[in-house]
Amino acid sequence: INRLNDQQGKIQIPIEAVVGKPGAAQPSVWVYDPATQQVAPRVIKLGDMQKDSIIVVEGLRPGDQIVAAGVHSLTADMKVRPWQRERGI
């Protein structure tokens, strides 16, 4: 789960967090709700790619938490447990 930061007015997310290919009709991401520990899909509008990340033009706000790994195994309202990257792992 990645917490989003607004850097220079742009939200960047890992490419692997996007469900659907860039240019797809409705790309989306899984947004994590810490209150319920569940995920829900959210349609986003993509901008330019930046190496291994992509700019999100619409659909996410700073502070949203998105799933960046295992996105193709999720279903709506699935309970998940956040995992924070530690020491390069």
Side-chain angles (χ1 to χ4, degrees):
I1 302 217
N2 287 15
R3 182 178 299 274
L4 302 182
N5 295 314
D6 186 358
Q7 298 175 352
Q8 301 173 347
K10 299 176 182 176
I11 293 179
Q12 282 185 245
I13 63 171
I15 291 171
E16 56 271 7
V18 178
V19 179
K21 304 277 187 227
Q26 292 192 317
S28 62
V29 293
W30 290 99
V31 178
Y32 174 72
D33 180 351
T36 63
Q37 297 182 324
Q38 293 177 316
V39 294
R42 187 177 302 164
V43 174
I44 57 173
K45 183 176 178 182
L46 299 175
D48 295 331
M49 293 181 68
Q50 308 280 321
K51 292 187 181 178
D52 59 350
S53 64
I54 194 161
I55 303 292
V56 176
V57 179
E58 290 178 13
L60 293 174
R61 298 176 300 277
D64 282 343
Q65 295 182 45
I66 63 166
V67 178
V71 297
H72 297 288
S73 301
L74 298 174
T75 59
D77 300 322
M78 179 181 272
K79 280 198 172 217
V80 297
R81 187 178 72 217
W83 175 75
Q84 299 298 325
R85 188 177 302 245
E86 296 178 14
R87 291 183 235 141
I89 298 176

